[in-house]
Amino acid sequence: MSKRKTMTTTAGAPVSDNQNSLSAGPRGPLLMQDYQLFEKLAHQNRERIPERVVHAKGWGAHGTFTVTNDISQYTRAKIFSEVGKQTPMIARFSTVAGEQGAADAERDVRGFALKFYTEEGNWDMVGNNTPVFFVRDPRKFPDFIHTQKRHPRTNLRSATAMWDFWSLSPESLHQVTILMSDRGLPVAPMYMNGYSSHTYSFWNEDGERYWIKFHFKTKQGHKHYTNKEAKKIVGESRETYQEELFGTIDRGEFPKWGVYVQIMPEAEAENTPYNPFDLTKVWPHGDYPLIEVGEMELNRNADNYFAEIEQAAFSPSNMVPGISVSPDKMLQARVFSYADAHRHRLGTHYEALPVNAPKVPVHTYHKDGQMRFFDNFAENPDAYYEPNSMNGPVEDESYREPPLKISGDADHYDHREGNDDYAQPRALFNLFDEGEKARLFSNVADAMQGVPEHIIERQLVHFHKCDPAYAEGVAKALGIKVPDFAQAS
Ligand code: NDP
C-alpha cells in the first residue's frame, strides 16, 4: 500500500495529532495556542450558506447537449451552429417550497435549471417541469411564495393561505391544475419534461428576431406517484430523487431528454389571440409545432455535491449572442432577481466558482471585492478601466441584438380578446381520461383539508368556469354540496 498523505492545516502545515486537543493536563483546561482546534471548529461553524429562498432542495448532474437538427436559420447562437455539435452542461432539479431537508417525493412544481458552457459564454435556462406558472406579474411573486412557505405564527405550511391566494388569482388555475394532476408528483427527475415556460427570443445573422419556447421531453417516459404511493415512499426514504438520479448515473445509465423549440416570427406576437408573453399560457402545439433541436444527456455525477450542485448558480441573465429575453414580465424580473440571489447567497464573485465559470476566457473590468482570488482579466495590468488606450478588451458591436419595436399602451397584451384564464386549463382538463380526472379531484380535495368553506367555494367557481365537471368532481371528493354557481359567478 502506498504511503498515506500527511494531514495538514488549511495553511498546509503538517498536523501531528488530530485526536487530542492541546491540554494543560489530562483533565484540561485547553490551551489558547491550539489554533488547529480553533480552525476546525471555526470551519464547522461556517459550513452552511443561506439556502435558496425557493428551490432549496435539489438534485443535479453534469451532462452533454448534442445538436440533432439544424436551426441556425433562426439563431446565431454557436451552441446550435451545426448538427452533431456537443456542448457540456449541468442540470439542477428541485422542488419549489420545501427546505433543504424536505422529502423529495412531495407534490410540488419541479425546477429544471440548465447551464450550457458554450463557446460564447454560459447560457442558462432556468425552467420548470410545467410549461406555465401561477402568476404572470412579478409583483405577485413574493406574496405567492409566502403562501407556499411557513405561516409566521404557527411555522407550519398553510393550505388556507395557498387556496386563499389561488382563489383570488384566477390566472393560477392553469398551473394549479397541472400541479394537482398526475404530473404534479413525478417519481424522479428523469421521468419528467422540462420547459423554458417563459418565452425567450432567438435572433439570427440577418438580425431577424423570433419568439421561442423550449421543451425538454423525457426519453425515460413520464412516471408519477399517487398521493398514497408518495406517502408510503416518503415514510421509507426522504431522498428518493437523489438516490435514483445519482444511482442511475453511477451505474452508467444516462437519462436523456429530446430538446425542442416552438418558434414564432416576431411580428406574429401582435396577432395571436392569447398574449404570447404571458407566463400562465402555453402556445398550442397546433399553432406552433415542436421543432427538434437536439438531445440532452446527464452522464456524470458531481464529485462534491456542495461545490457543484449547491453552488451552481443559474440565472436567465446568462444569455449568449443569438438567444435573448422577451417582454414576458416575469422573465424581466427574474433576469434581475436570480443574479441578485446568487450574489447574496454565494458572494460577489459567484461566477468565478469552478461550476459557474465559463469555459471561455473572461474579460471584464470588475475589480476586487470579497474572495477575489483570480488574476487580472486583462493581460496588460495598466488596462484596468475602460475606455483605455492600453490595449485592454473592447466592446464589439457585431454582437448587438436587433432593436425591439414596442407598440401599444402598457397593458396592451392583457386586454386582447381570448386572453382568459380558463380556456387553456379547459384544454388540459379535456386531455385527461376519467382516471386522471378522478385523481385530480381527489388530489385537490386532499390539498384543501382544513381550508375555510368560503375560500373553497371561491375556488370552486374557478373550477366551474373551467368546466362544470371539474367543480362537481372536486365538490364530490370533498363530500360537500355543489354550490349554486349561477349565483357565485
Ligand atoms: P396538444 O394535445 O398538442 O399537446 C398536449 C401537451 O400536453 C403535450 O405537450 C403533452 O406533453 C402534454 N400533456 C399530455 N397529457 C398531459 C397531462 N396529463 N398533464 C399535463 N400535460 C399533459 O395540446 P395543446 O398544445 O393545444 O395544449 C393543450 C393543453 O395541454 C394546454 O392548455 C396545456 O395545459 C397542456 N400542455 C401544452 C403544452 C404546450 O406547449 N402546448 C405543453 C404541456 C402541456 P407530452 O407530449 O410530454 O405528453
Side-chain angles (χ1 to χ4, degrees):
M1 204 164 86
S2 61
K3 186 173 178 313
R4 288 173 68 169
K5 291 188 173 120
T6 300
M7 188 179 164
T8 72
T9 64
T10 51
V15 170
S16 62
D17 186 347
N18 193 41
Q19 316 306 317
N20 301 289
S21 301
L22 275 184
S23 179
R27 291 187 300 168
L30 300 185
L31 300 186
M32 191 74 191
Q33 71 187 53
D34 190 358
Y35 71 94
Q36 293 179 11
L37 170 65
F38 298 151
E39 180 180 282
K40 205 167 170 180
L41 296 177
H43 265 271
Q44 185 186 30
N45 285 344
R46 289 160 180 79
E47 279 174 10
R48 298 287 168 270
I49 60 172
E51 67 171 33
R52 292 162 165 89
V53 174
V54 282
H55 296 277
K57 181 78 191 275
W59 327 273
H62 297 271
T64 312
F65 169 73
T66 307
V67 177
T68 55
N69 187 33
D70 183 6
I71 57 160
S72 59
Q73 74 265 37
Y74 303 111
T75 174
R76 62 179 291 176
K78 291 268 174 61
I79 182 174
F80 303 122
S81 64
E82 59 183 296
V83 172
K85 185 165 192 169
Q86 297 201 311
T87 299
M89 46 87 49
I90 186 167
R92 181 178 182 273
F93 311 103
S94 50
T95 43
V96 176
E99 294 95 358
Q100 267 188 344
D104 295 347
E106 288 188 348
R107 182 169 298 281
D108 198 352
V109 171
R110 267 64 180 164
F112 200 102
L114 310 172
K115 185 185 290 298
F116 299 88
Y117 303 96
T118 90
E119 65 200 83
E120 283 184 333
N122 290 349
W123 167 49
D124 292 1
M125 219 261 349
V126 190
N128 278 332
N129 72 327
T130 61
V132 294
F133 195 63
F134 296 95
V135 292
R136 61 169 70 98
D137 193 303
R139 284 270 183 125
K140 297 184 78 165
F141 184 77
D143 290 299
F144 163 64
I145 291 301
H146 291 164
T147 71
Q148 301 296 301
K149 293 280 185 174
R150 292 170 187 274
H151 185 284
R153 180 156 183 268
T154 64
N155 199 33
L156 297 169
R157 302 275 301 274
S158 168
T160 298
M162 290 183 210
W163 288 105
D164 192 29
F165 181 92
W166 286 336
S167 63
L168 292 167
S169 307
E171 72 271 30
S172 64
L173 181 64
H174 199 179
Q175 179 79 321
V176 167
T177 304
I178 296 174
L179 174 63
M180 296 297 159
S181 78
D182 287 351
R183 292 196 187 183
L185 186 33
V187 163
M190 55 276 246
Y191 305 118
M192 64 191 196
N193 287 351
Y195 303 91
S196 63
S197 311
H198 293 294
T199 298
Y200 288 87
S201 57
F202 274 166
W203 45 287
N204 65 16
E205 294 286 1
D206 298 327
E208 294 161 332
R209 178 184 280 106
Y210 299 87
W211 306 117
I212 56 156
K213 280 183 183 287
F214 276 99
H215 298 249
F216 300 78
K217 282 181 173 275
T218 173
K219 293 199 171 179
Q220 289 66 239
H222 293 277
K223 278 197 202 171
H224 325 108
Y225 287 129
T226 61
N227 278 2
K228 201 169 153 203
E229 287 166 342
K231 214 169 179 175
K232 183 167 177 291
I233 291 288
V234 170
E236 290 163 2
S237 168
R238 299 170 65 78
E239 315 295 341
T240 43
Y241 279 38
Q242 181 68 16
E243 287 160 1
E244 179 131 12
L245 184 65
F246 188 90
T248 305
I249 293 173
D250 236 26
R251 287 194 302 275
E253 298 159 25
F254 300 144
K256 295 181 176 63
W257 285 260
V259 183
Y260 300 85
V261 68
Q262 286 178 290
I263 299 187
M264 179 189 294
E266 181 173 7
E268 280 182 28
E270 298 292 331
N271 303 316
T272 51
Y274 45 86
N275 173 3
F277 309 119
D278 176 346
L279 187 55
T280 67
K281 303 278 189 299
V282 296
W283 297 354
H285 289 142
D287 297 348
Y288 296 97
L290 297 188
I291 296 170
E292 183 187 324
V293 178
E295 184 184 79
M296 180 179 98
E297 176 189 87
L298 296 185
N299 47 31
R300 182 164 63 85
N301 278 317
D303 289 324
N304 183 317
Y305 177 89
F306 182 85
E308 295 162 61
I309 307 299
E310 183 59 19
Q311 293 198 127
F314 306 86
S315 171
S317 53
N318 283 345
M319 299 169 244
V320 291
I323 308 176
S324 189
V325 294
S326 79
D328 178 340
K329 295 172 188 175
M330 286 292 289
L331 175 59
Q332 296 274 323
R334 291 177 85 201
V335 164
F336 154 72
S337 74
Y338 275 58
D340 179 58
H342 301 317
R343 288 183 199 107
H344 162 64
R345 241 169 48 81
L346 302 170
T348 312
H349 295 300
Y350 72 92
E351 297 275 33
L353 291 170
V355 69
N356 299 324
K359 310 277 185 224
V360 294
V362 171
H363 301 294
T364 75
Y365 288 88
H366 303 317
K367 211 165 167 283
D368 303 348
Q370 266 189 349
M371 301 295 284
R372 169 70 193 240
F373 57 88
F374 38 92
D375 294 341
N376 296 334
F377 291 121
E379 280 156 20
N380 178 356
D382 292 332
Y384 61 96
Y385 52 89
E386 215 280 328
N388 64 64
S389 53
M390 304 293 175
N391 204 27
V394 287
E395 64 205 24
D396 178 347
E397 68 171 24
S398 70
Y399 292 107
R400 186 170 298 165
E401 191 178 333
L404 177 65
K405 293 177 200 73
I406 307 283
S407 65
D409 59 59
D411 287 335
H412 174 73
Y413 287 117
D414 290 340
H415 293 295
R416 73 175 65 187
E417 196 189 341
N419 186 20
D420 72 74
D421 294 318
Y422 303 98
Q424 292 202 352
R426 187 176 305 126
L428 179 64
F429 186 74
N430 289 334
L431 281 179
F432 296 157
D433 63 25
E434 289 311 307
E436 286 176 294
K437 282 182 184 162
R439 288 189 294 278
L440 170 72
F441 304 150
S442 104
N443 292 338
V444 171
D446 277 359
M448 281 183 163
Q449 291 310 305
V451 175
E453 209 175 291
H454 71 279
I455 294 178
I456 293 180
E457 288 191 1
R458 193 164 58 213
Q459 184 64 37
L460 285 172
V461 174
H462 297 309
F463 293 149
H464 178 78
K465 284 184 181 171
C466 175
D467 191 314
Y470 194 171
E472 279 159 33
V474 170
K476 202 166 160 210
L478 283 165
I480 61 170
K481 204 170 128 294
V482 183
D484 182 350
F485 290 111
Q487 264 183 8
S489 54

